[in-house]
Amino acid sequence: LRNFSGNFTLDEMKRAVKLAHDSGVKVYVTLNVYARNSEEAAIREYLSELAQIAPDAIIVADPGVFMAARKLAPKVDIHVSTQANTTSVAGAKFWRELGATRINTARELSLEEIAQIADKSGVEVESFVHGAMCISHSGRCLISSFLTDRDSNRGQCSHPCRWNYKVVEEQRPGQYHPVAEDERGTYIFHSKDLCMIDHIPALVGAGIDSLKIEGRMKGVSYVATVVKAYREAIDAYYADPEGYVPRPEWAQELTRINHWNYSTGLYFGFEGDEGSNYDNARPNTIHRFAGKIIAVEEGVTTIQVRNKIMAGASVEVGSTVSYVISKGIRSEERRV
């Protein structure tokens, strides 16, 4: 999916890394494509440029890209992507011995399995705790390639798992039947979204070094809301581990963003259809991201609108101030 989001130019990357480092923020660059022969030269050139920009780590899945990164950017840490499907202590040790400083665990692991890897592998562990989950093991899916010629392993997934499917019997062409009886059809491949905000002590106790939030093609409002909730939860836990209790407002904030039904994925074992979203149900989002303030001049606020806004609607600005829109809105950059 990132393939359609527009990447940083190298100059933008350089300025972004400097800005982040000046603010005490780390930058990891994702380079987890499974490369083809024709792309080797471009990847090597890109890695050489990244070595000069010096991000804190490069996230890699392809062994060939991994070895090129070791050679061309030796001072930059390498993190192994979840796409590499690391599911065991032995697999984690393999990457550590090649020079990886961190592995992103496969999404199909239980919390107990992740804890074993963290305890015995001798390498940092990062695990997904929030966001969309691919129904295929570690995102290694070919459905998108077959149906839409968009390779999910190369940043182009069309999410066919979220389409409505029916079956047809060979001797009865044209007679289509839902796989499950439901007036809305069936969505046999579709997983629920992951949400572990209520389980911070268990995640920390498992020895996970970094909590990963899935955010491909997500907007600034989504990222800010999710990161804020988990940052506050982590800080609250470390401030008082014994007295820690999840705050209701964290989970409430996470219902306000665009999401599918939440679950704990496979962290606590597979419980029937807990991880699958068979009816494609999406809960009502409390808030929509209305827009972004891009200028304030002479008492007039210019907003880049991201969702439909009607006269009379109540708009929350930031997290504390509410206004009611009293006039009509027009044009791409609209004034209220």
Side-chain angles (χ1 to χ4, degrees), residues 33-51:
V33 64
Y34 278 89
R36 307 290 172 84
N37 293 331
S38 61
E39 297 166 332
E40 182 178 356
I43 288 173
R44 293 178 66 85
E45 180 180 353
Y46 186 62
L47 283 168
S48 297
E49 296 284 354
L50 285 181

Side-chain angles (χ1 to χ4, degrees), residues 245-261:
V245 176
R247 297 175 190 165
E249 58 264 31
W250 296 332
Q252 184 179 25
E253 281 296 310
L254 295 177
T255 65
R256 294 181 173 184
I257 57 176
N258 194 26
H259 68 286
W260 300 94
N261 284 328

Side-chain angles (χ1 to χ4, degrees), residues 308-323:
K308 187 176 182 179
I309 306 174
M310 302 296 291
S314 177
V315 179
E316 181 179 296
V317 180
S319 59
T320 57
V321 183
S322 291
Y323 295 93

Side-chain angles (χ1 to χ4, degrees), residues 41 44 86 134 154 257 312 327:
R44 293 178 66 85
T86 304
C134 182
R154 297 169 62 79
I257 57 176
K327 298 181 179 180

Side-chain angles (χ1 to χ4, degrees), residues 153-174:
N153 299 317
R154 297 169 62 79
Q156 301 176 5
C157 183
S158 57
H159 277 173
C161 58
R162 295 182 175 179
W163 299 351
N164 191 358
Y165 291 89
K166 291 179 171 61
V167 295
V168 59
E169 199 274 323
E170 183 178 7
Q171 300 301 319
R172 296 172 175 79

Side-chain angles (χ1 to χ4, degrees), residues 183-245:
E183 67 275 11
R184 290 169 294 188
T186 182
Y187 298 78
I188 58 177
F189 302 122
H190 183 193
S191 61
K192 295 179 181 178
D193 280 358
L194 178 64
C195 181
M196 291 291 287
I197 192 69
D198 289 334
H199 304 282
I200 298 299
L203 296 170
V204 175
I208 298 174
D209 296 282
S210 180
L211 307 186
K212 193 172 184 70
I213 295 167
E214 192 280 328
R216 294 175 302 169
M217 301 296 288
K218 298 297 194 299
V220 62
S221 178
Y222 177 96
V223 174
T225 299
V226 179
V227 171
K228 178 176 182 289
Y230 279 89
R231 180 75 270 166
E232 290 183 359
I234 294 168
D235 291 345
Y237 173 77
Y238 276 102
D240 183 14
E242 296 298 324
Y244 174 82
V245 176

Side-chain angles (χ1 to χ4, degrees), residues 2 4-5 25 66 114 129 131 144 151 182 186 198 200 204 206 219 228 241 246 265 283 303 306 325:
R2 290 190 197 91
F4 302 99
S5 64
V25 175
F66 186 103
I114 294 173
V129 297
S144 181
D151 192 340
D182 187 295
T186 182
D198 289 334
I200 298 299
V204 175
K228 178 176 182 289
I303 300 172
R306 301 290 183 86
I325 295 175

